[in-house]
Amino acid sequence: MSVPEPFGQRLRQSWARSDSALCVGLDPVRERLPSHLAQAPDPLFHFCREIVEATADLVCAFKPNIAFFNAEGAEGDLKRLIDHIHTAHPGVPVIIDAKRGDVGSTASMYARELFERYNTDAATVNPWLGWDSIAPFAEHEGRGVVVLCHTSNPSSAWLQEEPRGDPAYLKVAREMQSRDADNLALVVGATFPEQLAEVRRAAPTLPFLVPGVGAQGGGADELRQIFASGVDESGQGIVVNASRSIIYAGTGKAYAAASRQAAMGLRDQIRRARDRQQSD
């Protein structure tokens, strides 16, 4: 297998190609699939493939969540989906949302699973065990490691903002920035705009994967704040993820068309927030 270009480089190319900071999360739940797919072979793959085909020209990345496939014993669907994206849309990076976090040989096996078995371009990683839990992923040349920093869920402050003097999320940001690598990025939730601004000051060059927009509550105000204080030194560095608000935008056989309309609306909203920041 040939060594891919550094993940950071491919992400910058995707931003330029698509003129978009939108990432569509692929989190298929069998009970929410359109009824005509219920009896189809490999329904999770077919559902996600149609979403991909409807939105690929609108996004800078796709983010399948491994748990939604594992729970259904559909690992084969996930592999087929990633292979399809790479073949049909080779300029669009794939980020597996796996949130792996362990050390030693276990972390090495997780990294092999995600980067070799699934051939994903990047993966989310939990830094709770320190750099030892991240290094096995970072050692895979050309692959991206998206490190949880300050997440979008309401109770995240319970741990991530402790201790108050020098909170854990800023320690994560500073450590990743100090590595000076083109394969590291951070997860920073849209629903905590003040903390996002602090993380950007601590990590001026790292890309941010920003969940929390759409079904999780982030809207136009959060998008304006993200681009007002979250872009990197080049005016980029933001990947805004939305999952349920896009993939479940419609029902029935027209679900993919409805997803396209939802993705287009959010992409345009993101562009307006970005352009406003650039003009200020």
Side-chain angles (χ1 to χ4, degrees):
M1 184 180 299
S2 61
V3 176
E5 296 175 315
F7 174 70
Q9 182 175 333
R10 281 180 286 150
L11 190 56
R12 289 188 292 272
Q13 291 170 349
S14 187
W15 282 322
R17 171 197 55 78
S18 64
D19 189 28
S20 174
L22 174 63
C23 172
V24 170
L26 302 168
D27 304 354
V29 176
R30 185 180 293 270
E31 292 74 19
R32 298 191 67 176
L33 300 187
S35 58
H36 71 282
L37 292 178
Q39 303 305 319
D42 305 326
L44 271 62
F45 168 72
H46 288 286
F47 174 77
C48 292
R49 182 188 63 186
E50 295 309 305
I51 298 291
V52 166
E53 290 307 297
T55 61
D57 63 317
L58 307 174
V59 306
C60 67
F62 286 109
K63 184 178 71 66
N65 189 314
I66 197 170
F68 289 81
F69 295 86
N70 287 352
E72 297 287 349
E75 291 88 346
D77 283 21
L78 176 58
K79 172 116 177 55
R80 286 179 65 196
L81 177 62
I82 295 172
D83 288 345
H84 173 76
I85 295 170
H86 285 156
T87 299
H89 309 285
V92 182
V94 179
I95 304 168
I96 279 189
D97 195 351
K99 300 181 178 69
R100 298 292 194 236
D102 213 318
V103 294
S105 59
T106 305
S108 296
M109 292 301 105
Y110 279 143
R112 281 186 57 190
E113 174 201 19
L114 300 178
F115 294 142
E116 297 180 17
R117 179 184 179 191
Y118 292 111
N119 194 27
T120 190
D121 300 292
T124 59
V125 174
N126 190 324
W128 180 243
L129 276 69
W131 180 254
D132 292 345
S133 66
I134 300 169
F137 295 86
E139 290 166 359
H140 280 255
E141 191 173 356
R143 309 293 178 162
V145 187
V146 186
V147 181
L148 301 181
C149 184
H150 197 299
T151 57
S152 57
N153 56 299
S155 65
S156 60
W158 170 74
L159 179 62
Q160 293 168 13
E161 295 186 19
E162 293 296 333
R164 297 290 167 167
D166 191 13
Y169 70 93
L170 287 182
K171 290 182 179 180
V172 171
R174 292 177 185 128
E175 176 65 21
M176 297 308 111
Q177 179 66 40
S178 73
R179 296 284 166 173
D180 192 27
D182 201 21
N183 65 337
L184 296 175
L186 297 171
V187 176
V188 192
T191 48
F192 290 86
E194 292 182 8
Q195 289 80 359
L196 185 144
E198 290 180 333
V199 173
R200 178 50 77 200
R201 288 192 289 271
T205 66
L206 297 182
F208 289 178
L209 174 63
V210 183
V213 173
Q216 295 187 54
D221 288 344
E222 283 76 15
L223 285 173
R224 284 193 292 270
Q225 291 171 323
I226 288 167
F227 283 91
S229 58
V231 295
D232 64 16
E233 295 174 332
S234 69
Q236 294 181 314
I238 299 293
V239 177
V240 177
N241 181 78
S243 302
R244 287 169 289 168
S245 62
I246 291 178
I247 68 174
Y248 300 125
T251 58
K253 293 185 178 180
Y255 75 93
S259 295
R260 178 172 179 81
Q261 289 302 310
M264 189 178 300
L266 182 53
R267 181 207 59 182
D268 292 346
Q269 199 174 10
I270 292 168
R271 281 179 174 174
R272 288 192 292 271
R274 179 201 64 190
D275 294 345
R276 178 177 176 178
Q277 182 273 329
Q278 291 176 346
S279 65
D280 287 345

